[in-house]
Amino acid sequence: MSETSAGRKAPSRAVTISRPDKELWPDIPVTKQAYAEYLRSVSPNMLPWLRDRPLTMVRAPDGVTGERYFQKAAPTYAPAWVMTTRIPAPSAKRDVDYVVCQNLPTLTWLGNQAVLEFHSAPVRRDRLDRPDLMVMDIDPPEDQFEMAVEVAFLVLEVLHDLGLPSGIKTTGGKGLHIVAPIERRVDQSALRGAVASLTAIVVGRRPDLVTDAFRKVRREGRVMLDPSRNGTGATIVAPYSPRARDDATVSFPVTADELRSISPEDFTLRTVPVSLARPGPKRWSALVGERGRLPSRLLRSE
DNA sequence: GGGCCGA
DNA sequence: TCGGCCCAACGCAGA
DNA sequence: TCTGCG
Ligand SMILES: [Mn+2]
Ligand SMILES: [Mn+2]
C-alpha cells in the first residue's frame, strides 16, 4: 500500500475499465479496452497539453453511434485524486468544477467515462485571465481541406514575421489549428485584439479566400479565421484527442512540409500510435517548452 | 456511465 | 436486488 | 434579450 511522506494513505489510482469489450467506434472497431490503450500510448505527448487546463469533455457512453453530450462539471462521483478547479459560469448562475487532467490515471479514468473528446482551455488554472496560447482556428467551407491548407500557409507567414513560434495540427474535422504559445503578459481582451489584427492582415492579403465573417451566410464559400477560440472561456480540441465520429479521426500535430500531402482522415485511433512510434517529427513535444511574446505593434493596432 | 429510486 | 429514469454546457458577438 | 455559432 503506497503512503505519502506524511504517512497517510495515498488513494489508489487503479482504474478498472468497465465493459472492456464495448465498442466505442464500431466501424474501426475500437473497444473501451483498446481506447484505454490508445490513451496510454499517446499520453506522453498529450498530457502536457491538458495539464493545468480546465477541461471540457464530450462523452458518448454508448459509443459514437449513441447519444453524445458536452460535459464541463466533473461528475460528483469522481475519485478524490481527480483534480478539479472551480470557475464561475455567470450565464448559468453557478460555479463549475472543471476536471484538470494532470496524469495518466486521470486520463484513463476519463476514457472509462467514455470521454471521447478532450477540449482544453487556452489558459492555465493559476492565471485564468492571462491566456498562454494564441489560437488561429481555420474553418474551411464544407469538405475543403485544401483551402484550409492555403490559409494555414498565410497564417504561418504572418506568425513568422512576428517572430512567434507555433505548431500546426489537424482538428480531426476538416479544419486546422495553428497554436502559438505565448508569455502570459496580456489579458484576454488584449489577446483578442491581437488575434483580430492578425486575422485582418491575413484577410487583407487574400480577401477572396479568407473571411472573419461570423455569420455562415456571409462567408460565401471562403475560409473562416475564427477568433472565438481565444480567451478564458474558449476551448480547443487537444492534440491527440479523438473525435466522436464514425471514422475515429484524431487531432494530430503535423509539419508545414506535410500539409499539402495529408488528409485529416489519415490520422485515426489506429494510425496515430503507429505514427508516433516511428522516427520523425516531434509532434509538438518541443513546442511545449516554447513561448513567444506578442509584439507591441500587434497589441496597439485595432 | 453511474447514481438514485421505487417496486 | 434490479430495471428504468435521469442527468451530463458554456461564452460570446451581433442583431 | 435573443439567436447563431462553435
Ligand atoms: Mn475550427
Ligand atoms: Mn448508459
Side-chain angles (χ1 to χ4, degrees):
Chain A
M1 189 59 58
S2 57
E3 309 220 337
T4 65
S5 53
R8 281 168 317 186
K9 268 185 191 171
S12 165
R13 300 185 176 192
V15 175
T16 304
I17 302 300
S18 57
R19 307 191 56 184
D21 296 331
K22 187 174 190 175
E23 291 178 346
L24 294 176
W25 284 269
D27 285 1
I28 309 301
V30 176
T31 63
K32 286 189 71 186
Q33 185 62 51
Y35 183 39
E37 284 158 18
Y38 167 82
L39 291 173
R40 180 170 47 77
S41 73
V42 300
S43 62
N45 291 60
M46 182 181 187
L47 279 171
W49 298 98
L50 296 176
R51 197 162 283 140
D52 294 325
R53 303 181 184 281
L55 178 71
T56 296
M57 305 165 276
V58 173
R59 295 179 60 193
D62 296 321
V64 295
T65 56
E67 190 189 356
R68 58 190 107 187
Y69 50 89
F70 278 81
Q71 183 164 344
K72 285 177 179 284
T76 52
Y77 53 81
W81 47 263
V82 170
M83 180 183 283
T84 62
T85 193
R86 181 161 298 178
I87 301 176
S91 79
K93 294 177 185 147
R94 63 168 187 156
D95 292 337
V96 174
D97 290 318
Y98 286 81
V99 170
V100 183
C101 184
Q102 300 294 70
N103 47 49
L104 180 57
T106 303
L107 190 61
T108 308
W109 184 79
L110 292 170
N112 186 54
Q113 287 295 302
V115 174
L116 303 195
E117 298 189 3
F118 297 78
H119 298 254
S120 57
V123 296
R124 295 204 303 267
R125 62 194 171 92
D126 57 329
R127 291 185 76 175
L128 293 172
D129 58 333
R130 295 288 183 104
D132 70 332
L133 300 176
M134 182 173 73
V135 179
M136 300 302 286
D137 177 28
I138 303 171
D139 293 333
E142 192 71 17
D143 275 14
Q144 296 289 331
F145 181 68
E146 299 76 10
M147 292 177 72
V149 168
E150 294 317 303
V151 173
F153 282 115
L154 291 171
V155 171
L156 288 169
E157 190 178 314
V158 175
L159 289 174
H160 176 80
D161 292 347
L162 295 169
L164 293 170
S166 65
I168 315 160
K169 66 181 179 69
T170 65
T171 63
K174 277 297 172 186
L176 289 166
H177 287 163
I178 298 181
V179 174
I182 53 173
E183 294 176 357
R184 294 191 285 183
R185 290 174 166 272
V186 302
D187 66 16
Q188 57 166 331
S189 72
L191 175 62
R192 287 208 190 96
V195 171
S197 330
L198 210 157
T199 298
I201 293 169
V202 176
V203 172
R205 288 185 189 179
R206 285 295 303 279
D208 60 310
L209 179 66
V210 197
T211 176
D212 60 0
F214 164 74
R215 292 300 214 90
K216 277 187 168 175
V217 218
R218 298 258 287 104
R219 295 181 200 165
E220 296 169 333
R222 291 171 291 182
V223 176
M224 182 200 188
L225 261 183
D226 177 5
S228 77
R229 325 275 2 167
N230 289 278
T232 305
T235 62
I236 313 92
V237 70
Y240 304 97
S241 171
R243 304 312 297 258
R245 305 161 31 129
D246 293 346
D247 53 0
T249 52
V250 169
S251 179
F252 191 66
V254 296
T255 64
D257 286 345
E258 291 170 318
L259 274 180
R260 292 201 207 274
S261 57
I262 58 159
S263 159
E265 293 76 27
D266 296 342
F267 309 113
T268 70
L269 286 171
R270 271 272 190 273
T271 66
V272 160
V274 180
S275 240
L276 274 187
R278 281 199 307 254
K282 289 190 283 290
R283 307 297 175 194
W284 285 27
S285 294
L287 189 64
V288 172
E290 295 185 51
R291 271 175 304 169
R293 184 184 299 194
L294 294 176
S296 50
R297 167 167 39 123
L298 204 60
L299 293 167
R300 265 197 308 273
S301 58
E302 184 56 26

